[in-house]
Coordinates of all heavy atoms in Angstrom, one line a residue:
A1 N 0.8 -1.2 0.0 CA 0.0 0.1 0.0 C 0.9 1.3 -0.1 O 0.7 2.1 -0.7 CB -0.9 0.1 1.2
K2 N 1.9 1.3 0.8 CA 2.8 2.3 0.7 C 3.5 2.7 -0.5 O 3.7 3.8 -1.0 CB 3.7 2.3 1.9 CG 3.1 2.4 3.4 CD 4.2 2.3 4.4 CE 3.5 2.4 5.8 NZ 4.4 2.3 6.9
A3 N 4.0 1.5 -1.1 CA 4.7 1.7 -2.3 C 3.7 2.2 -3.5 O 4.1 3.0 -4.3 CB 5.1 0.3 -2.9
R4 N 2.4 1.8 -3.4 CA 1.5 2.2 -4.3 C 1.3 3.8 -4.2 O 1.2 4.5 -5.1 CB 0.2 1.5 -4.2 CG -0.9 1.9 -5.4 CD -2.1 1.2 -5.2 NE -3.0 2.1 -4.5 CZ -4.0 1.6 -3.7 NH1 -4.1 0.2 -3.5 NH2 -4.7 2.4 -3.0
A5 N 1.1 4.3 -2.8 CA 1.1 5.6 -2.6 C 2.2 6.4 -3.1 O 2.0 7.6 -3.6 CB 0.8 5.9 -1.1
I6 N 3.4 6.0 -3.0 CA 4.6 6.6 -3.5 C 4.5 6.7 -5.1 O 4.8 7.6 -5.8 CB 5.9 5.9 -3.3 CG1 6.0 6.0 -1.7 CG2 7.1 6.4 -3.9 CD1 7.3 5.2 -1.1
R7 N 4.1 5.6 -5.7 CA 4.0 5.6 -7.2 C 2.9 6.6 -7.7 O 3.1 7.3 -8.6 CB 3.6 4.2 -7.7 CG 4.7 3.1 -7.9 CD 4.3 2.0 -8.7 NE 3.3 1.1 -7.9 CZ 3.5 0.3 -6.9 NH1 4.8 0.0 -6.5 NH2 2.5 -0.5 -6.5
E8 N 1.9 6.7 -7.0 CA 0.7 7.6 -7.2 C 1.4 9.0 -7.1 O 1.0 10.0 -7.9 CB -0.4 7.5 -6.3 CG -1.2 6.2 -6.8 CD -2.4 5.9 -5.8 OE1 -2.6 6.5 -4.8 OE2 -3.0 4.7 -6.0
A9 N 2.1 9.3 -6.0 CA 2.7 10.6 -5.6 C 3.5 11.1 -6.8 O 3.6 12.2 -7.2 CB 3.3 10.5 -4.4
L10 N 4.3 10.2 -7.3 CA 5.3 10.5 -8.4 C 4.6 10.9 -9.7 O 5.2 11.8 -10.5 CB 6.1 9.1 -8.8 CG 7.2 8.9 -7.7 CD1 7.8 7.5 -8.1 CD2 8.3 9.9 -7.5
E11 N 3.3 10.6 -9.9 CA 2.6 11.0 -11.0 C 1.8 12.3 -10.8 O 1.2 12.8 -11.8 CB 1.7 9.9 -11.4 CG 2.4 8.6 -11.9 CD 3.5 8.7 -12.9 OE1 3.2 9.5 -13.8 OE2 4.6 8.3 -12.7
M12 N 1.7 12.8 -9.6 CA 1.1 13.9 -9.4 C 1.7 15.2 -9.8 O 3.0 15.3 -9.8 CB 0.7 14.1 -7.9 CG -0.2 13.0 -7.3 SD -0.4 13.2 -5.5 CE -1.6 14.5 -5.4
P13 N 1.0 16.4 -10.3 CA 1.6 17.5 -10.6 C 2.0 18.2 -9.5 O 1.6 18.3 -8.5 CB 0.4 18.3 -11.3 CG -0.9 17.7 -10.8 CD -0.5 16.3 -10.5
V14 N 3.1 19.1 -9.7 CA 3.8 19.8 -8.7 C 3.2 21.2 -8.8 O 3.1 21.8 -9.9 CB 5.2 19.8 -8.9 CG1 6.0 20.9 -8.0 CG2 5.9 18.4 -8.9
D15 N 2.8 21.8 -7.6 CA 2.3 23.2 -7.6 C 3.1 24.1 -6.8 O 2.5 25.0 -6.1 CB 0.8 23.1 -7.2 CG 0.5 22.6 -5.7 OD1 1.7 22.2 -5.1 OD2 -0.5 22.6 -5.2
F16 N 4.4 23.8 -6.7 CA 5.2 24.7 -5.9 C 6.6 24.8 -6.6 O 7.0 24.2 -7.5 CB 5.5 24.1 -4.5 CG 5.9 22.6 -4.5 CD1 7.2 22.3 -4.5 CD2 5.1 21.6 -4.4 CE1 7.7 21.0 -4.6 CE2 5.4 20.3 -4.6 CZ 6.9 20.0 -4.5
A17 N 7.5 25.8 -6.1 CA 8.8 25.9 -6.5 C 9.6 25.5 -5.2 O 9.3 25.6 -4.3 CB 9.1 27.4 -6.9
I18 N 11.0 25.3 -5.7 CA 11.9 24.9 -4.7 C 12.9 26.0 -4.7 O 13.6 26.2 -5.7 CB 12.6 23.6 -5.0 CG1 11.7 22.3 -4.9 CG2 13.8 23.3 -3.9 CD1 11.3 21.7 -3.6
E19 N 13.1 26.9 -3.8 CA 14.0 27.9 -3.6 C 15.4 27.2 -3.4 O 15.4 26.1 -2.9 CB 13.7 28.9 -2.5 CG 12.4 29.6 -2.7 CD 12.2 30.4 -3.8 OE1 13.3 31.1 -4.3 OE2 11.3 30.5 -4.6
P20 N 16.5 27.9 -3.8 CA 17.8 27.3 -3.4 C 17.9 26.8 -2.0 O 17.8 27.6 -1.1 CB 18.8 28.4 -3.9 CG 18.1 29.1 -4.9 CD 16.6 29.1 -4.5
Q21 N 18.0 25.5 -1.9 CA 18.3 24.9 -0.6 C 18.9 23.6 -0.7 O 19.0 23.0 -1.9 CB 16.9 24.7 0.2 CG 15.9 23.9 -0.6 CD 14.5 23.8 0.1 OE1 14.3 23.3 1.0 NE2 13.6 24.5 -0.6
S22 N 19.4 23.0 0.4 CA 20.0 21.7 0.3 C 19.1 20.6 -0.2 O 17.8 20.7 0.0 CB 20.5 21.2 1.6 OG 19.5 20.8 2.5
L23 N 19.6 19.6 -0.9 CA 18.8 18.5 -1.3 C 18.1 17.9 -0.2 O 16.7 17.6 -0.5 CB 19.6 17.4 -2.1 CG 18.8 16.1 -2.4 CD1 17.9 16.5 -3.6 CD2 19.9 15.0 -2.9
K24 N 18.7 17.8 1.0 CA 17.9 17.2 2.1 C 16.7 17.9 2.4 O 15.7 17.4 2.7 CB 19.0 17.0 3.2 CG 18.2 16.3 4.4 CD 19.0 16.1 5.6 CE 18.4 15.6 6.9 NZ 17.0 15.7 7.0
D25 N 16.9 19.3 2.6 CA 15.8 20.1 2.9 C 14.6 20.0 1.8 O 13.4 20.0 2.2 CB 16.3 21.6 3.1 CG 17.1 21.7 4.4 OD1 17.0 20.8 5.3 OD2 17.7 22.7 4.5
A26 N 15.0 20.1 0.6 CA 14.0 20.0 -0.4 C 13.3 18.6 -0.4 O 12.0 18.6 -0.6 CB 14.7 20.1 -1.8
L27 N 14.1 17.5 -0.3 CA 13.4 16.3 -0.1 C 12.5 16.1 1.1 O 11.4 15.5 1.1 CB 14.3 15.0 -0.3 CG 15.0 15.0 -1.7 CD1 16.0 13.7 -1.6 CD2 14.0 14.7 -2.8
D28 N 12.9 16.7 2.2 CA 12.0 16.8 3.5 C 10.8 17.4 3.2 O 9.7 17.1 3.6 CB 12.8 17.4 4.7 CG 14.0 16.5 5.2 OD1 14.0 15.4 4.9 OD2 14.7 17.2 6.0
F29 N 10.8 18.5 2.5 CA 9.6 19.2 2.1 C 8.7 18.3 1.2 O 7.5 18.3 1.3 CB 10.0 20.6 1.3 CG 8.8 21.1 0.8 CD1 7.9 21.9 1.6 CD2 8.5 21.1 -0.6 CE1 6.8 22.7 1.0 CE2 7.4 21.7 -1.1 CZ 6.4 22.6 -0.3
V30 N 9.4 17.8 0.3 CA 8.5 16.9 -0.5 C 8.0 15.7 0.1 O 6.7 15.3 -0.1 CB 9.4 16.2 -1.9 CG1 8.7 15.2 -2.6 CG2 9.8 17.5 -2.7
A31 N 8.6 15.1 1.0 CA 8.1 14.1 1.8 C 7.0 14.4 2.7 O 6.0 13.8 2.8 CB 9.3 13.5 2.8
G32 N 7.0 15.6 3.3 CA 5.9 16.1 4.1 C 4.8 16.5 3.2 O 3.6 16.3 3.5
R33 N 5.1 17.1 2.0 CA 3.9 17.5 1.2 C 3.0 16.3 0.6 O 1.9 16.5 0.5 CB 4.6 18.3 0.0 CG 3.6 18.9 -1.1 CD 3.0 20.1 -0.5 NE 2.3 20.8 -1.7 CZ 2.2 22.0 -1.8 NH1 3.0 22.8 -1.0 NH2 1.6 22.5 -2.8
Y34 N 3.8 15.3 0.3 CA 3.1 14.1 -0.3 C 2.9 13.0 0.7 O 2.5 11.9 0.3 CB 3.9 13.6 -1.6 CG 3.8 14.7 -2.6 CD1 4.8 15.5 -2.8 CD2 2.7 14.7 -3.5 CE1 4.8 16.6 -3.8 CE2 2.6 15.5 -4.6 CZ 3.6 16.6 -4.6 OH 3.6 17.4 -5.7
Q35 N 3.3 13.1 1.9 CA 3.2 12.2 2.9 C 3.8 10.7 2.6 O 3.1 9.8 2.6 CB 1.7 11.9 3.3 CG 1.1 13.2 3.9 CD 1.7 13.6 5.2 OE1 1.7 12.8 6.0 NE2 2.2 14.8 5.3
I36 N 5.1 10.9 2.1 CA 5.8 9.7 1.6 C 7.0 9.6 2.4 O 7.7 10.6 2.8 CB 6.0 9.5 0.3 CG1 6.8 10.8 -0.3 CG2 4.7 9.4 -0.6 CD1 7.1 10.7 -1.9
K37 N 7.6 8.4 2.7 CA 8.9 8.2 3.3 C 10.0 8.4 2.3 O 10.0 7.6 1.2 CB 9.0 7.0 4.1 CG 10.3 6.8 4.7 CD 10.2 5.4 5.6 CE 11.6 5.1 6.2 NZ 11.6 3.8 6.8
I38 N 10.9 9.2 2.6 CA 12.2 9.3 1.6 C 13.6 9.1 2.4 O 13.7 9.5 3.6 CB 12.2 10.8 1.1 CG1 11.1 11.1 0.2 CG2 13.5 11.0 0.4 CD1 11.0 12.4 -0.5
V39 N 14.2 8.2 1.8 CA 15.5 7.8 2.5 C 16.7 8.3 1.5 O 16.6 8.0 0.3 CB 15.5 6.3 2.7 CG1 16.9 5.8 3.3 CG2 14.5 5.7 3.6
I40 N 17.7 8.8 2.0 CA 18.8 9.4 1.3 C 20.1 8.6 1.7 O 20.4 8.6 2.7 CB 19.0 10.9 1.5 CG1 17.7 11.6 1.2 CG2 20.2 11.3 0.5 CD1 17.9 13.1 1.5
D41 N 20.5 7.8 0.7 CA 21.7 7.0 0.9 C 22.9 8.0 1.3 O 23.0 9.1 0.7 CB 22.1 6.3 -0.3 CG 23.2 5.3 -0.1 OD1 23.0 4.2 0.5 OD2 24.4 5.6 -0.4
R42 N 23.8 7.6 2.1 CA 24.9 8.4 2.5 C 25.8 8.8 1.5 O 26.5 9.7 1.5 CB 25.7 7.8 3.8 CG 26.3 6.5 3.3 CD 27.1 5.9 4.6 NE 27.7 4.6 4.3 CZ 28.8 4.4 3.6 NH1 29.5 5.5 3.1 NH2 29.3 3.3 3.3
T43 N 25.7 8.1 0.3 CA 26.7 8.4 -0.8 C 26.2 9.6 -1.6 O 26.8 10.1 -2.5 CB 26.9 7.1 -1.7 OG1 25.6 6.9 -2.3 CG2 27.4 6.0 -1.0
V44 N 24.9 10.0 -1.3 CA 24.3 11.2 -2.2 C 24.7 12.5 -1.5 O 24.7 12.6 -0.4 CB 22.8 11.0 -2.1 CG1 22.1 12.2 -2.7 CG2 22.4 9.7 -2.8
A45 N 25.1 13.4 -2.3 CA 25.5 14.7 -1.9 C 24.2 15.5 -1.5 O 23.8 16.4 -2.1 CB 26.2 15.5 -3.0
S46 N 23.8 15.2 -0.3 CA 22.5 15.8 0.2 C 22.6 17.2 0.7 O 21.6 17.9 0.9 CB 22.0 14.9 1.4 OG 22.8 14.8 2.5
T47 N 23.8 17.7 0.9 CA 24.1 19.1 1.4 C 24.2 19.9 0.0 O 24.2 21.3 0.3 CB 25.2 19.1 2.3 OG1 26.5 18.8 1.6 CG2 25.2 18.4 3.5
T48 N 24.2 19.4 -1.0 CA 24.4 20.2 -2.3 C 23.0 21.1 -2.6 O 22.0 20.7 -2.2 CB 24.6 19.4 -3.6 OG1 25.8 18.7 -3.3 CG2 24.7 20.3 -4.9
D49 N 23.1 22.4 -2.8 CA 21.9 23.2 -3.1 C 21.4 22.9 -4.4 O 22.0 22.6 -5.4 CB 22.2 24.6 -3.2 CG 22.5 25.3 -1.7 OD1 22.1 24.6 -0.7 OD2 22.7 26.5 -1.6
V50 N 20.0 22.8 -4.4 CA 19.1 22.5 -5.7 C 18.1 23.5 -5.7 O 17.8 24.3 -4.7 CB 18.6 21.1 -5.5 CG1 19.7 20.0 -5.7 CG2 17.7 20.8 -4.2
H51 N 17.5 23.6 -6.9 CA 16.4 24.6 -7.0 C 15.4 24.1 -8.1 O 15.9 23.3 -9.0 CB 16.8 26.0 -7.3 CG 17.7 26.2 -8.4 ND1 17.2 26.4 -9.7 CD2 19.1 26.0 -8.6 CE1 18.2 26.3 -10.5 NE2 19.3 26.2 -9.9
F52 N 14.2 24.6 -8.1 CA 13.3 24.2 -9.2 C 12.2 25.3 -9.2 O 11.7 25.8 -8.2 CB 12.6 22.9 -8.8 CG 11.4 22.5 -9.6 CD1 11.5 22.0 -10.9 CD2 10.2 22.7 -9.2 CE1 10.4 21.8 -11.7 CE2 9.1 22.4 -9.8 CZ 9.2 22.0 -11.1
S53 N 11.9 25.7 -10.5 CA 10.8 26.6 -10.4 C 9.9 26.5 -11.9 O 9.7 27.5 -12.5 CB 11.4 28.1 -10.6 OG 12.2 28.3 -11.6
A54 N 9.3 25.3 -12.0 CA 8.5 25.0 -13.2 C 7.2 24.2 -12.8 O 7.2 23.2 -13.2 CB 9.3 24.4 -14.3
P55 N 6.3 24.9 -11.9 CA 5.2 24.1 -11.4 C 4.4 23.7 -12.6 O 4.4 24.2 -13.7 CB 4.5 25.2 -10.7 CG 5.6 26.2 -10.1 CD 6.5 26.3 -11.5
G56 N 3.7 22.4 -12.5 CA 2.8 21.9 -13.4 C 3.4 20.5 -13.9 O 2.6 19.7 -14.5
I57 N 4.6 20.2 -13.7 CA 5.3 18.9 -14.2 C 5.0 17.9 -13.1 O 4.6 18.2 -12.0 CB 6.8 19.0 -14.5 CG1 7.6 19.3 -13.3 CG2 7.0 20.1 -15.6 CD1 9.1 19.2 -13.5
K58 N 5.2 16.6 -13.4 CA 4.9 15.6 -12.5 C 6.1 15.6 -11.5 O 7.2 15.9 -11.7 CB 4.9 14.2 -13.2 CG 3.7 14.1 -14.0 CD 3.6 12.7 -14.8 CE 2.4 12.6 -15.5 NZ 2.4 11.2 -16.3
L59 N 5.8 15.1 -10.1 CA 6.7 14.9 -9.2 C 8.0 14.2 -9.6 O 9.2 14.5 -9.3 CB 6.0 14.4 -7.9 CG 7.1 14.1 -6.7 CD1 7.8 15.5 -6.2 CD2 6.5 13.4 -5.6
R60 N 7.7 13.1 -10.4 CA 8.8 12.3 -10.9 C 9.8 13.1 -11.7 O 11.0 13.0 -11.5 CB 8.2 11.2 -11.7 CG 9.3 10.3 -12.4 CD 8.7 9.2 -13.4 NE 7.7 8.4 -12.8 CZ 7.9 7.4 -12.0 NH1 9.1 7.1 -11.8 NH2 6.8 6.8 -11.5
S61 N 9.3 14.0 -12.5 CA 10.2 14.9 -13.4 C 10.9 15.9 -12.4 O 12.1 16.1 -12.7 CB 9.3 15.7 -14.3 OG 8.7 14.7 -15.3
L62 N 10.2 16.5 -11.5 CA 10.8 17.4 -10.5 C 12.0 16.7 -9.8 O 13.2 17.3 -9.7 CB 9.9 18.0 -9.5 CG 10.6 18.6 -8.4 CD1 9.8 19.9 -8.0 CD2 10.7 17.8 -7.2
L63 N 11.8 15.6 -9.4 CA 12.9 14.8 -8.7 C 14.1 14.6 -9.7 O 15.3 14.7 -9.3 CB 12.4 13.6 -8.1 CG 11.4 13.7 -7.0 CD1 10.8 12.3 -6.5 CD2 12.0 14.5 -5.9
S64 N 13.8 14.3 -10.9 CA 14.9 14.0 -11.9 C 15.7 15.3 -12.1 O 16.9 15.4 -12.2 CB 14.3 13.5 -13.1 OG 13.7 12.2 -13.0
I65 N 14.9 16.4 -12.1 CA 15.6 17.7 -12.4 C 16.6 17.9 -11.3 O 17.7 18.4 -11.3 CB 14.5 18.8 -12.5 CG1 13.8 18.7 -14.0 CG2 15.2 20.3 -12.4 CD1 12.6 19.5 -14.1
L66 N 16.1 17.7 -9.9 CA 16.9 18.0 -8.8 C 18.1 17.0 -8.8 O 19.3 17.5 -8.6 CB 16.0 17.7 -7.5 CG 15.0 18.7 -7.2 CD1 14.3 18.3 -5.9 CD2 15.2 20.0 -7.2
M67 N 18.0 15.8 -9.2 CA 19.1 15.0 -9.3 C 20.3 15.3 -10.2 O 21.3 15.1 -10.1 CB 18.7 13.5 -9.7 CG 17.7 12.8 -8.7 SD 18.2 12.6 -7.0 CE 17.5 14.0 -6.3
E68 N 19.7 15.9 -11.5 CA 20.6 16.5 -12.3 C 21.5 17.6 -11.9 O 22.5 17.8 -12.5 CB 20.0 17.0 -13.8 CG 19.2 15.9 -14.4 CD 18.3 16.4 -15.5 OE1 18.3 17.6 -15.7 OE2 17.7 15.5 -16.2
Q69 N 21.1 18.2 -10.8 CA 21.9 19.4 -10.3 C 23.0 18.9 -9.1 O 23.7 19.7 -8.7 CB 21.0 20.3 -9.3 CG 19.9 20.9 -10.4 CD 18.9 21.7 -9.7 OE1 19.4 22.5 -8.8 NE2 17.6 21.7 -10.0
L70 N 23.1 17.6 -9.1 CA 24.0 17.0 -8.0 C 25.3 16.7 -8.8 O 25.3 16.5 -10.0 CB 23.5 15.8 -7.4 CG 22.3 16.0 -6.6 CD1 21.7 14.7 -6.0 CD2 22.4 16.9 -5.5
P71 N 26.4 16.8 -8.0 CA 27.8 16.4 -8.6 C 28.0 15.0 -9.3 O 28.7 14.9 -10.0 CB 28.7 16.7 -7.5 CG 28.0 16.7 -6.4 CD 26.7 17.0 -6.7
K72 N 27.3 14.1 -8.5 CA 27.5 12.7 -9.0 C 26.1 12.2 -9.5 O 25.0 12.7 -9.0 CB 27.8 11.8 -7.9 CG 29.4 12.0 -7.4 CD 30.0 10.9 -6.4 CE 29.0 10.2 -5.5 NZ 29.7 9.3 -4.7
A73 N 26.2 11.4 -10.5 CA 24.8 10.7 -11.0 C 24.0 10.1 -9.8 O 24.6 9.4 -9.0 CB 25.2 9.7 -12.0
T74 N 22.8 10.5 -9.6 CA 22.1 10.1 -8.6 C 20.7 9.6 -9.1 O 20.2 10.2 -10.1 CB 21.8 11.1 -7.6 OG1 23.2 11.5 -7.0 CG2 21.1 10.7 -6.3
G75 N 20.2 8.5 -8.6 CA 18.8 8.1 -9.1 C 18.0 7.9 -7.8 O 18.3 8.1 -6.6
F76 N 16.8 7.4 -8.1 CA 15.7 7.2 -6.9 C 14.9 5.9 -7.4 O 14.7 5.6 -8.6 CB 15.0 8.2 -6.7 CG 14.1 8.8 -7.6 CD1 12.9 8.4 -8.0 CD2 14.7 9.9 -8.4 CE1 12.1 8.9 -9.0 CE2 13.9 10.5 -9.5 CZ 12.6 10.0 -9.8
K77 N 14.5 5.2 -6.3 CA 13.6 3.9 -6.7 C 12.8 3.8 -5.3 O 13.1 4.2 -4.3 CB 14.5 2.7 -7.0 CG 15.5 2.3 -5.7 CD 16.3 1.1 -6.2 CE 17.4 0.9 -5.1 NZ 18.3 -0.2 -5.4
I78 N 11.7 2.9 -5.6 CA 10.9 2.6 -4.5 C 11.5 1.4 -3.8 O 11.6 0.3 -4.6 CB 9.4 2.4 -4.9 CG1 8.9 3.7 -5.5 CG2 8.6 1.9 -3.7 CD1 7.6 3.6 -6.1
E79 N 11.8 1.3 -2.6 CA 12.4 0.1 -1.9 C 12.0 0.2 -0.5 O 12.1 1.2 0.2 CB 13.9 0.2 -2.1 CG 14.6 -0.9 -1.5 CD 16.1 -0.7 -1.7 OE1 16.6 -1.1 -2.9 OE2 16.8 -0.5 -0.7
D80 N 11.5 -1.0 0.1 CA 11.1 -1.1 1.5 C 10.1 0.0 1.8 O 10.2 0.7 2.9 CB 12.3 -1.1 2.4 CG 13.3 -2.2 2.1 OD1 12.9 -3.2 1.7 OD2 14.6 -2.0 2.2
D81 N 9.1 0.1 1.0 CA 8.0 1.2 1.3 C 8.5 2.6 1.5 O 8.0 3.3 2.3 CB 7.2 0.7 2.6 CG 6.5 -0.4 2.3 OD1 6.0 -0.6 1.2 OD2 6.1 -1.2 3.4
A82 N 9.8 2.9 0.8 CA 10.1 4.3 0.9 C 10.7 4.5 -0.5 O 11.0 3.7 -1.4 CB 11.3 4.4 2.0
L83 N 10.9 6.0 -0.8 CA 11.6 6.3 -2.0 C 13.0 6.6 -1.6 O 13.3 7.5 -0.8 CB 10.7 7.7 -2.4 CG 11.2 8.2 -3.8 CD1 10.9 7.2 -4.9 CD2 10.5 9.6 -4.2
K84 N 13.8 5.8 -2.1 CA 15.3 5.8 -1.9 C 16.2 6.4 -3.0 O 15.9 6.2 -4.1 CB 15.8 4.4 -1.5 CG 17.2 4.5 -1.2 CD 17.6 2.9 -0.9 CE 19.2 3.0 -0.4 NZ 19.6 1.7 -0.2
F85 N 16.9 7.3 -2.5 CA 17.8 8.1 -3.4 C 19.2 7.6 -3.2 O 19.6 7.4 -2.0 CB 17.8 9.6 -3.1 CG 16.5 10.2 -3.6 CD1 15.4 10.2 -2.7 CD2 16.5 10.9 -4.7 CE1 14.2 10.7 -3.3 CE2 15.3 11.5 -5.1 CZ 14.1 11.4 -4.3
Y86 N 19.9 7.2 -4.2 CA 21.3 6.6 -4.1 C 22.2 7.1 -5.2 O 21.7 7.6 -6.3 CB 21.0 5.1 -4.3 CG 20.5 4.8 -5.6 CD1 21.2 4.4 -6.7 CD2 19.0 4.7 -5.9 CE1 20.6 4.0 -8.0 CE2 18.5 4.5 -7.0 CZ 19.2 4.1 -8.1 OH 18.7 3.7 -9.3
S87 N 23.4 7.0 -5.2 CA 24.3 7.3 -6.0 C 24.5 6.2 -7.1 O 24.6 5.0 -6.7 CB 25.8 7.6 -5.3 OG 26.8 7.8 -6.3
E88 N 24.5 6.7 -8.3 CA 24.4 5.6 -9.4 C 25.9 5.2 -9.7 O 26.1 4.2 -10.4 CB 23.8 6.1 -10.6 CG 22.3 6.3 -10.4 CD 21.6 6.9 -11.7 OE1 22.3 7.3 -12.5 OE2 20.5 6.6 -11.8
V89 N 27.0 5.9 -9.2 CA 28.3 5.7 -9.5 C 28.9 4.9 -8.3 O 28.7 5.4 -7.2 CB 29.1 6.9 -9.7 CG1 30.5 6.7 -9.9 CG2 28.5 7.8 -10.8
A90 N 29.4 3.7 -8.7 CA 30.0 3.0 -7.6 C 31.2 3.7 -7.0 O 32.2 4.3 -7.7 CB 30.4 1.5 -8.2
A91 N 31.4 3.4 -5.7 CA 32.5 4.2 -5.0 C 33.9 3.4 -5.5 O 33.9 2.2 -5.8 CB 32.5 3.9 -3.5
P92 N 34.9 4.1 -5.7 CA 36.2 3.6 -6.2 C 36.8 2.6 -5.2 O 36.7 2.6 -4.0 CB 37.2 4.8 -6.3 CG 36.5 5.8 -5.7 CD 35.1 5.6 -5.3

């Protein structure tokens, strides 16, 4: 049921902007707004500032735009009833 709620949230249109702030703060806002659990892997640059200002797109697209602003390739997936953010590049 939680995974389904996350999938549904990812398809919802976004009606807000993200002012420049850390990825962690932005994802905390999204988690509260959509009532979903978000987990950020420690390999993700969660202190990097991100921003977004194109309301109307799907949440999935907004998250992809935020990930593109990080120094390392980062992705997200639904895992263990949470939306998990992880580095796509293996550590050396």
Side-chain angles (χ1 to χ4, degrees):
K2 291 180 182 179
R4 189 178 91 210
I6 294 170
R7 283 192 296 278
E8 289 173 358
L10 289 172
E11 299 306 317
M12 295 179 75
V14 172
D15 63 354
F16 56 85
I18 302 272
E19 298 299 323
Q21 60 187 290
S22 73
L23 174 66
K24 181 184 181 330
D25 289 345
L27 293 179
D28 285 347
F29 172 79
V30 168
R33 179 83 169 215
Y34 292 94
Q35 298 297 300
I36 58 176
K37 181 178 178 183
I38 292 181
V39 175
I40 306 171
D41 188 84
R42 62 179 178 78
T43 62
V44 174
S46 62
T47 59
T48 300
D49 278 359
V50 294
H51 59 84
F52 166 81
S53 62
I57 68 172
K58 291 181 181 181
L59 177 60
R60 176 184 307 278
S61 298
L62 170 135
L63 296 174
S64 294
I65 290 167
L66 296 182
M67 298 303 98
E68 290 172 3
Q69 297 174 41
L70 299 178
K72 291 193 328 185
T74 303
F76 57 90
K77 62 184 174 182
I78 299 171
E79 182 177 287
D80 300 326
D81 291 331
L83 188 59
K84 182 176 182 181
F85 289 79
Y86 61 94
S87 175
E88 293 180 342
V89 179

